[in-house]
Amino acid sequence: MTQAIVYSEHGGPDVLRLIELDTPAPGPGQVAVRVEAAGVNPIDGKLRSGLRGPGPMTAPRRIGNDGAGVITAVGEGVDGFRPGDEVVLFGASGVYATDVVVTVSAVQPRPPQVSAAQGAALGIPVGTAYQSLRSLAVGPGDTVLVHAGSGAVGQAAIQLAALWGATVIATASPARFDRLRELGAVPVAYGDGLEERVRAAAPQGVTVALDAAGTDEAIQTSLAVVADPTRIATIVRGPDAAGFGIRAFSGGSPEPLTDQQQAWRAEAVPVVLALMAAGRFTVELGPEFALADAVEAHRVLASGANGKITLVP
Ligand SMILES: NC(=O)c1ccc[n+]([C@@H]2O[C@H](COP(=O)([O-])OP(=O)(O)OC[C@H]3O[C@@H](n4cnc5c(N)ncnc54)[C@H](OP(=O)(O)O)[C@@H]3O)[C@@H](O)[C@H]2O)c1
């Protein structure tokens, strides 16, 4: 039997519940994975609450896109994976579970240097950071302002932008400054006076801004310090981006991701796994909860936690 978290109505964390269901066999092109850790992302809370997502529910919905685990069975036509392989899951669905069956494109081999919890922390944050920076053509000579640099997307964006040769300024609360410095960013506190602090931290000027905070302050500061609005993007305020004259990558945007953007999101996890295996990229882990405690995990998600929240079946 599989245990899985579902919700049948939109609402607060309490709508999440644990159910049992038969574990299906993988079909052609699929693999079955015993989940060792599931990553908890802000989008999970937004889907659960009804803020984002496909609208009215006709049946209980599974939840969770990112995870890590061990392959238990492979379907017809699957090459390159066998039972016992340790993998990272990304772009999957229903990963808050003991077991999932997913298309083979949603798994990547997990190098021994990467723990299951670290693997579960990658998919959405790393895919989003990587695609956003690629779309903004970040490279040597750029100075990139990352809003919410201490979050999962922000930490990934800082590291990738720095690896790609950019100078990085990132916003966070002061208690998080040491972590940002470790990752290669110059930290600045968000809040009143942000524009002046950014200008002082980057006297050479800022060429690119990525908003993972979603505040007016983040967007207005970006518009004030970056000359070219096509090099400003939000991943949170999708519906408002056109009104601000900036770009949006998902985040409720009416514009779907392009094929190229989706390809970059898919490319990100294998690239980052290789960087992690080489000791060149890190993820910060946060509180860990049992699968049955998904309600509590979502309460902590809503109140804010340092590091990636994971569920461990
Ligand atoms: N469009 C997409 O495809 C996409 C993909 C992934 C995520 N997202 C969205 O991007 C956002 C960030 O995701 P995440 O996974 O990185 O979240 P996270 O790990 O929970 O981090 C949230 C961060 O927001 C920071 N923050 C809180 N208030 C702030 C403020 N007023 N100004 C600036 N920063 C502030 C916090 O910083 P401190 O702790 O330092 O205070 C925290 O580090 C979420 O809204 C998420 O839904 C969108």
Short mmCIF file of all heavy atoms in Angstrom, two decimals, residues 40-44 46 52 124-125 128-129 131-132 147-155 171-176 180 190-191 194 211-215 217-218 234-236 248-252 257 265 301 304-308, ligand 1:
data_model
loop_
_atom_site.label_atom_id
_atom_site.label_comp_id
_atom_site.label_asym_id
_atom_site.label_seq_id
_atom_site.Cartn_x
_atom_site.Cartn_y
_atom_site.Cartn_z
N VAL A 40 9.11 20.53 0.39
CA VAL A 40 7.90 21.34 0.58
C VAL A 40 8.19 22.73 0.02
O VAL A 40 9.12 23.41 0.47
CB VAL A 40 7.53 21.42 2.08
CG1 VAL A 40 6.35 22.36 2.30
CG2 VAL A 40 7.21 20.01 2.60
N ASN A 41 7.41 23.13 -0.98
CA ASN A 41 7.64 24.41 -1.68
C ASN A 41 6.48 25.38 -1.42
O ASN A 41 5.34 24.94 -1.21
CB ASN A 41 7.73 24.15 -3.19
CG ASN A 41 9.05 23.52 -3.58
OD1 ASN A 41 10.11 24.13 -3.39
ND2 ASN A 41 9.01 22.29 -4.11
N PRO A 42 6.75 26.69 -1.50
CA PRO A 42 5.65 27.65 -1.35
C PRO A 42 4.48 27.39 -2.28
O PRO A 42 3.32 27.60 -1.91
CB PRO A 42 6.32 29.00 -1.65
CG PRO A 42 7.75 28.81 -1.22
CD PRO A 42 8.06 27.37 -1.58
N ILE A 43 4.75 26.90 -3.52
CA ILE A 43 3.65 26.65 -4.44
C ILE A 43 2.69 25.60 -3.89
O ILE A 43 1.48 25.63 -4.16
CB ILE A 43 4.17 26.24 -5.86
CG1 ILE A 43 3.04 26.17 -6.90
CG2 ILE A 43 4.89 24.91 -5.81
CD1 ILE A 43 2.36 27.45 -7.19
N ASP A 44 3.20 24.67 -3.06
CA ASP A 44 2.32 23.64 -2.48
C ASP A 44 1.25 24.31 -1.62
O ASP A 44 0.08 23.92 -1.65
CB ASP A 44 3.12 22.65 -1.63
CG ASP A 44 4.25 21.97 -2.40
OD1 ASP A 44 4.22 22.01 -3.65
OD2 ASP A 44 5.16 21.41 -1.75
N LYS A 46 0.25 27.42 -1.96
CA LYS A 46 -0.62 28.23 -2.82
C LYS A 46 -1.65 27.35 -3.53
O LYS A 46 -2.80 27.74 -3.69
CB LYS A 46 0.23 29.01 -3.83
CG LYS A 46 1.11 30.07 -3.15
CD LYS A 46 2.02 30.81 -4.14
CE LYS A 46 2.95 31.76 -3.39
NZ LYS A 46 3.86 32.51 -4.27
N ARG A 52 -3.42 29.48 -6.34
CA ARG A 52 -3.01 29.10 -7.68
C ARG A 52 -3.62 27.73 -7.98
O ARG A 52 -3.96 26.99 -7.06
CB ARG A 52 -1.49 28.94 -7.76
CG ARG A 52 -0.72 30.19 -7.49
CD ARG A 52 -0.31 30.88 -8.78
NE ARG A 52 0.66 31.92 -8.49
CZ ARG A 52 0.34 33.16 -8.15
NH1 ARG A 52 -0.93 33.51 -8.08
NH2 ARG A 52 1.27 34.05 -7.89
N ILE A 124 12.00 22.52 -7.90
CA ILE A 124 11.37 23.80 -8.24
C ILE A 124 12.32 24.98 -8.00
O ILE A 124 12.50 25.82 -8.89
CB ILE A 124 10.03 23.96 -7.48
CG1 ILE A 124 8.99 23.04 -8.11
CG2 ILE A 124 9.57 25.42 -7.50
CD1 ILE A 124 7.63 23.06 -7.44
N PRO A 125 12.98 25.06 -6.83
CA PRO A 125 13.84 26.24 -6.62
C PRO A 125 14.98 26.33 -7.62
O PRO A 125 15.23 27.40 -8.20
CB PRO A 125 14.38 26.04 -5.20
CG PRO A 125 13.50 25.05 -4.55
CD PRO A 125 12.89 24.22 -5.63
N THR A 128 13.76 27.01 -11.23
CA THR A 128 13.29 28.39 -11.41
C THR A 128 14.47 29.37 -11.46
O THR A 128 14.51 30.26 -12.31
CB THR A 128 12.33 28.77 -10.26
OG1 THR A 128 11.30 27.79 -10.20
CG2 THR A 128 11.74 30.14 -10.48
N ALA A 129 15.41 29.18 -10.53
CA ALA A 129 16.57 30.09 -10.50
C ALA A 129 17.37 29.98 -11.79
O ALA A 129 17.73 30.98 -12.42
CB ALA A 129 17.45 29.76 -9.29
N GLN A 131 16.48 28.78 -14.82
CA GLN A 131 15.76 29.29 -16.00
C GLN A 131 15.68 30.82 -15.98
O GLN A 131 15.86 31.48 -17.01
CB GLN A 131 14.35 28.68 -16.04
CG GLN A 131 13.44 29.29 -17.09
CD GLN A 131 12.56 30.37 -16.51
OE1 GLN A 131 11.90 30.15 -15.51
NE2 GLN A 131 12.52 31.54 -17.14
N SER A 132 15.43 31.38 -14.79
CA SER A 132 15.29 32.84 -14.72
C SER A 132 16.60 33.52 -15.12
O SER A 132 16.61 34.47 -15.92
CB SER A 132 14.89 33.27 -13.31
OG SER A 132 13.65 32.72 -12.96
N HIS A 147 16.25 39.47 -5.00
CA HIS A 147 15.38 39.76 -3.85
C HIS A 147 14.95 38.45 -3.20
O HIS A 147 14.59 37.50 -3.89
CB HIS A 147 14.13 40.52 -4.31
CG HIS A 147 14.42 41.88 -4.89
ND1 HIS A 147 14.66 42.98 -4.11
CD2 HIS A 147 14.54 42.29 -6.17
CE1 HIS A 147 14.89 44.04 -4.88
NE2 HIS A 147 14.82 43.63 -6.15
N ALA A 148 14.96 38.40 -1.87
CA ALA A 148 14.71 37.17 -1.10
C ALA A 148 15.85 36.18 -1.33
O ALA A 148 15.63 35.00 -1.60
CB ALA A 148 13.35 36.55 -1.41
N GLY A 149 17.06 36.68 -1.19
CA GLY A 149 18.24 35.85 -1.45
C GLY A 149 18.42 34.70 -0.46
O GLY A 149 19.13 33.75 -0.77
N SER A 150 17.78 34.79 0.71
CA SER A 150 17.95 33.72 1.69
C SER A 150 16.96 32.58 1.49
O SER A 150 17.05 31.55 2.17
CB SER A 150 17.79 34.29 3.11
OG SER A 150 16.55 34.98 3.20
N GLY A 151 16.01 32.73 0.58
CA GLY A 151 15.07 31.66 0.30
C GLY A 151 15.68 30.61 -0.62
O GLY A 151 16.82 30.74 -1.08
N ALA A 152 14.91 29.56 -0.87
CA ALA A 152 15.44 28.45 -1.67
C ALA A 152 15.78 28.89 -3.09
O ALA A 152 16.84 28.55 -3.63
CB ALA A 152 14.43 27.30 -1.69
N VAL A 153 14.88 29.65 -3.72
CA VAL A 153 15.17 30.13 -5.09
C VAL A 153 16.32 31.12 -5.03
O VAL A 153 17.25 31.07 -5.86
CB VAL A 153 13.93 30.80 -5.71
CG1 VAL A 153 14.27 31.37 -7.09
CG2 VAL A 153 12.77 29.81 -5.82
N GLY A 154 16.29 32.02 -4.06
CA GLY A 154 17.32 33.04 -3.95
C GLY A 154 18.71 32.44 -3.77
O GLY A 154 19.67 32.87 -4.42
N GLN A 155 18.81 31.45 -2.90
CA GLN A 155 20.13 30.83 -2.66
C GLN A 155 20.65 30.15 -3.93
O GLN A 155 21.85 30.20 -4.23
CB GLN A 155 20.05 29.83 -1.52
CG GLN A 155 19.81 30.49 -0.17
CD GLN A 155 20.09 29.56 1.01
OE1 GLN A 155 20.89 28.64 0.92
NE2 GLN A 155 19.43 29.83 2.13
N THR A 171 19.01 40.48 -1.13
CA THR A 171 18.31 40.99 0.04
C THR A 171 17.92 39.84 0.97
O THR A 171 17.63 38.73 0.52
CB THR A 171 17.03 41.78 -0.33
OG1 THR A 171 16.05 40.88 -0.85
CG2 THR A 171 17.33 42.86 -1.36
N ALA A 172 17.90 40.15 2.26
CA ALA A 172 17.51 39.17 3.29
C ALA A 172 17.36 39.91 4.60
O ALA A 172 17.68 41.10 4.70
CB ALA A 172 18.58 38.08 3.43
N SER A 173 16.89 39.20 5.63
CA SER A 173 16.97 39.78 6.98
C SER A 173 18.41 39.67 7.46
O SER A 173 19.12 38.72 7.09
CB SER A 173 16.07 39.08 7.99
OG SER A 173 15.29 38.10 7.46
N PRO A 174 18.84 40.61 8.30
CA PRO A 174 20.24 40.63 8.73
C PRO A 174 20.72 39.32 9.34
O PRO A 174 21.88 38.93 9.17
CB PRO A 174 20.28 41.78 9.74
CG PRO A 174 19.23 42.72 9.24
CD PRO A 174 18.12 41.85 8.71
N ALA A 175 19.82 38.58 10.00
CA ALA A 175 20.23 37.31 10.60
C ALA A 175 20.70 36.30 9.56
O ALA A 175 21.37 35.31 9.90
CB ALA A 175 19.07 36.71 11.40
N ARG A 176 20.39 36.55 8.31
CA ARG A 176 20.73 35.60 7.24
C ARG A 176 21.94 36.07 6.42
O ARG A 176 22.31 35.42 5.42
CB ARG A 176 19.50 35.44 6.32
CG ARG A 176 18.24 35.08 7.06
CD ARG A 176 18.26 33.64 7.55
NE ARG A 176 17.93 32.77 6.45
CZ ARG A 176 18.51 31.60 6.21
NH1 ARG A 176 19.48 31.16 7.01
NH2 ARG A 176 18.17 30.85 5.19
N LEU A 180 24.34 34.33 3.13
CA LEU A 180 24.44 34.94 1.80
C LEU A 180 25.90 35.19 1.42
O LEU A 180 26.29 34.96 0.27
CB LEU A 180 23.65 36.26 1.76
CG LEU A 180 22.21 36.14 1.26
CD1 LEU A 180 21.41 35.12 2.03
CD2 LEU A 180 21.51 37.48 1.25
N TYR A 190 16.31 44.01 3.34
CA TYR A 190 15.12 44.58 2.70
C TYR A 190 14.45 45.52 3.70
O TYR A 190 14.78 45.53 4.88
CB TYR A 190 14.18 43.48 2.17
CG TYR A 190 13.73 42.42 3.14
CD1 TYR A 190 12.74 42.66 4.08
CD2 TYR A 190 14.29 41.13 3.10
CE1 TYR A 190 12.31 41.68 4.95
CE2 TYR A 190 13.86 40.14 3.98
CZ TYR A 190 12.87 40.42 4.90
OH TYR A 190 12.45 39.45 5.76
N GLY A 191 13.49 46.33 3.23
CA GLY A 191 12.83 47.31 4.10
C GLY A 191 13.14 48.74 3.64
O GLY A 191 13.86 48.94 2.65
N LEU A 194 15.82 50.60 0.93
CA LEU A 194 16.50 49.52 0.18
C LEU A 194 17.28 50.06 -1.02
O LEU A 194 18.43 49.67 -1.26
CB LEU A 194 15.47 48.48 -0.28
CG LEU A 194 16.01 47.34 -1.15
CD1 LEU A 194 17.10 46.55 -0.42
CD2 LEU A 194 14.89 46.39 -1.59
N ASP A 211 13.20 39.12 -8.82
CA ASP A 211 12.34 39.27 -7.64
C ASP A 211 11.76 37.92 -7.23
O ASP A 211 10.89 37.38 -7.91
CB ASP A 211 11.20 40.24 -7.96
CG ASP A 211 10.10 40.13 -6.91
OD1 ASP A 211 10.43 40.01 -5.72
OD2 ASP A 211 8.90 40.15 -7.29
N ALA A 212 12.23 37.40 -6.09
CA ALA A 212 11.63 36.19 -5.50
C ALA A 212 10.91 36.55 -4.21
O ALA A 212 10.55 35.68 -3.43
CB ALA A 212 12.69 35.13 -5.25
N ALA A 213 10.72 37.87 -3.97
CA ALA A 213 10.05 38.33 -2.75
C ALA A 213 8.58 38.68 -3.02
O ALA A 213 7.71 38.40 -2.20
CB ALA A 213 10.77 39.54 -2.16
N GLY A 214 8.35 39.33 -4.16
CA GLY A 214 6.97 39.65 -4.52
C GLY A 214 6.43 40.92 -3.89
O GLY A 214 5.23 41.19 -3.96
N THR A 215 7.31 41.73 -3.32
CA THR A 215 6.84 42.98 -2.71
C THR A 215 6.93 44.13 -3.72
O THR A 215 7.77 44.11 -4.63
CB THR A 215 7.72 43.34 -1.49
OG1 THR A 215 9.08 43.42 -1.93
CG2 THR A 215 7.60 42.28 -0.40
N GLU A 217 8.13 46.89 -2.93
CA GLU A 217 9.47 47.43 -2.67
C GLU A 217 10.52 46.76 -3.57
O GLU A 217 11.38 47.45 -4.14
CB GLU A 217 9.82 47.18 -1.21
CG GLU A 217 11.25 47.50 -0.85
CD GLU A 217 11.57 47.03 0.56
OE1 GLU A 217 11.90 45.83 0.75
OE2 GLU A 217 11.48 47.85 1.47
N ALA A 218 10.44 45.44 -3.69
CA ALA A 218 11.43 44.72 -4.52
C ALA A 218 11.31 45.17 -5.97
O ALA A 218 12.32 45.41 -6.65
CB ALA A 218 11.22 43.21 -4.39
N THR A 234 10.06 39.01 -12.23
CA THR A 234 9.48 38.51 -10.97
C THR A 234 9.05 37.06 -11.17
O THR A 234 8.58 36.70 -12.26
CB THR A 234 8.28 39.36 -10.52
OG1 THR A 234 7.77 38.82 -9.30
CG2 THR A 234 7.16 39.40 -11.56
N ILE A 235 9.20 36.27 -10.12
CA ILE A 235 8.66 34.91 -10.15
C ILE A 235 7.45 34.79 -9.21
O ILE A 235 6.95 33.69 -9.00
CB ILE A 235 9.72 33.85 -9.80
CG1 ILE A 235 10.29 34.08 -8.39
CG2 ILE A 235 10.82 33.82 -10.85
CD1 ILE A 235 11.03 32.87 -7.82
N VAL A 236 7.03 35.92 -8.64
CA VAL A 236 5.94 35.89 -7.66
C VAL A 236 4.73 36.69 -8.13
O VAL A 236 3.59 36.27 -7.97
CB VAL A 236 6.42 36.46 -6.29
CG1 VAL A 236 5.32 36.31 -5.24
CG2 VAL A 236 7.69 35.76 -5.83
N ALA A 248 7.87 38.25 -16.28
CA ALA A 248 7.45 37.30 -15.25
C ALA A 248 7.70 35.90 -15.77
O ALA A 248 7.51 35.63 -16.96
CB ALA A 248 5.97 37.46 -14.94
N PHE A 249 8.17 35.05 -14.88
CA PHE A 249 8.32 33.65 -15.22
C PHE A 249 7.39 32.86 -14.31
O PHE A 249 7.67 32.69 -13.12
CB PHE A 249 9.78 33.20 -15.04
CG PHE A 249 10.75 34.06 -15.81
CD1 PHE A 249 11.86 34.62 -15.20
CD2 PHE A 249 10.55 34.31 -17.16
CE1 PHE A 249 12.74 35.41 -15.90
CE2 PHE A 249 11.43 35.12 -17.89
CZ PHE A 249 12.54 35.67 -17.25
N SER A 250 6.25 32.46 -14.86
CA SER A 250 5.25 31.74 -14.07
C SER A 250 4.77 32.64 -12.92
O SER A 250 4.60 33.83 -13.14
CB SER A 250 5.88 30.44 -13.59
OG SER A 250 5.04 29.38 -13.79
N GLY A 251 4.57 32.08 -11.73
CA GLY A 251 4.15 32.93 -10.61
C GLY A 251 2.79 33.58 -10.85
O GLY A 251 2.55 34.71 -10.44
N GLY A 252 1.89 32.86 -11.56
CA GLY A 252 0.57 33.40 -11.83
C GLY A 252 0.52 34.25 -13.09
O GLY A 252 -0.51 34.87 -13.39
N LEU A 257 5.29 29.56 -19.73
CA LEU A 257 6.72 29.46 -20.02
C LEU A 257 6.89 29.00 -21.45
O LEU A 257 6.12 28.17 -21.95
CB LEU A 257 7.39 28.46 -19.08
CG LEU A 257 7.46 28.84 -17.60
CD1 LEU A 257 8.06 27.68 -16.79
CD2 LEU A 257 8.27 30.12 -17.38
N ARG A 265 14.44 24.78 -17.32
CA ARG A 265 14.03 24.24 -16.00
C ARG A 265 14.40 22.76 -15.89
O ARG A 265 14.84 22.30 -14.84
CB ARG A 265 12.54 24.48 -15.77
CG ARG A 265 12.25 25.95 -15.51
CD ARG A 265 10.91 26.20 -14.86
NE ARG A 265 10.76 27.63 -14.62
CZ ARG A 265 9.97 28.19 -13.72
NH1 ARG A 265 9.22 27.44 -12.95
NH2 ARG A 265 9.91 29.50 -13.56
N LEU A 301 5.65 26.23 6.88
CA LEU A 301 5.85 26.87 5.56
C LEU A 301 5.22 28.26 5.55
O LEU A 301 5.83 29.22 5.08
CB LEU A 301 5.22 26.00 4.47
CG LEU A 301 5.22 26.54 3.04
CD1 LEU A 301 6.64 26.53 2.47
CD2 LEU A 301 4.28 25.74 2.13
N GLY A 304 7.21 30.70 7.77
CA GLY A 304 8.58 30.98 7.31
C GLY A 304 9.60 30.18 8.09
O GLY A 304 9.57 30.15 9.32
N ALA A 305 10.46 29.51 7.37
CA ALA A 305 11.52 28.70 8.01
C ALA A 305 12.82 28.96 7.29
O ALA A 305 12.82 29.25 6.09
CB ALA A 305 11.18 27.22 7.92
N ASN A 306 13.93 28.86 7.99
CA ASN A 306 15.23 28.93 7.33
C ASN A 306 15.54 27.55 6.75
O ASN A 306 15.57 26.56 7.47
CB ASN A 306 16.34 29.29 8.33
CG ASN A 306 16.20 30.71 8.84
OD1 ASN A 306 15.46 31.51 8.26
ND2 ASN A 306 16.90 31.03 9.90
N GLY A 307 15.79 27.48 5.46
CA GLY A 307 16.15 26.22 4.83
C GLY A 307 14.93 25.46 4.34
O GLY A 307 13.79 25.75 4.71
N LYS A 308 15.19 24.47 3.50
CA LYS A 308 14.12 23.71 2.85
C LYS A 308 13.44 22.77 3.84
O LYS A 308 14.08 21.95 4.49
CB LYS A 308 14.74 22.90 1.69
CG LYS A 308 13.81 21.96 0.97
CD LYS A 308 12.58 22.61 0.40
CE LYS A 308 12.85 23.63 -0.68
NZ LYS A 308 11.61 24.34 -1.11
N1 LIG B 1 7.33 31.47 -10.64
C1 LIG B 1 7.82 30.30 -10.29
O1 LIG B 1 7.95 29.38 -11.11
C2 LIG B 1 8.23 30.10 -8.87
C3 LIG B 1 9.04 29.01 -8.53
C4 LIG B 1 9.50 28.89 -7.23
C5 LIG B 1 9.09 29.81 -6.26
N2 LIG B 1 8.26 30.81 -6.61
C6 LIG B 1 7.82 31.80 -5.59
O2 LIG B 1 8.96 32.53 -5.19
C7 LIG B 1 8.85 32.87 -3.81
C8 LIG B 1 10.11 32.39 -3.08
O3 LIG B 1 10.16 30.98 -3.10
P1 LIG B 1 11.22 30.20 -2.18
O4 LIG B 1 11.02 28.76 -2.39
O5 LIG B 1 12.57 30.78 -2.37
O6 LIG B 1 10.67 30.60 -0.73
P2 LIG B 1 11.35 30.44 0.70
O7 LIG B 1 12.47 29.48 0.64
O8 LIG B 1 10.22 30.19 1.64
O9 LIG B 1 11.97 31.87 1.01
C9 LIG B 1 11.18 33.01 1.20
C10 LIG B 1 12.12 34.16 1.46
O10 LIG B 1 11.40 35.38 1.41
C11 LIG B 1 12.17 36.29 2.14
N3 LIG B 1 11.36 37.43 2.50
C12 LIG B 1 10.33 37.49 3.39
N4 LIG B 1 9.83 38.74 3.42
C13 LIG B 1 10.57 39.49 2.53
C14 LIG B 1 10.52 40.85 2.11
N5 LIG B 1 9.63 41.71 2.60
N6 LIG B 1 11.44 41.26 1.20
C15 LIG B 1 12.34 40.41 0.69
N7 LIG B 1 12.41 39.10 1.04
C16 LIG B 1 11.54 38.66 1.95
C17 LIG B 1 12.63 35.53 3.35
O11 LIG B 1 13.85 36.12 3.77
P3 LIG B 1 14.36 36.19 5.30
O12 LIG B 1 14.13 34.82 5.88
O13 LIG B 1 15.80 36.55 5.17
O14 LIG B 1 13.55 37.24 5.99
C18 LIG B 1 12.81 34.12 2.80
O15 LIG B 1 14.16 33.80 2.61
C19 LIG B 1 7.55 32.23 -3.32
O16 LIG B 1 6.52 33.18 -3.38
C20 LIG B 1 7.29 31.14 -4.35
O17 LIG B 1 5.93 30.78 -4.46
C21 LIG B 1 7.84 31.00 -7.89
#
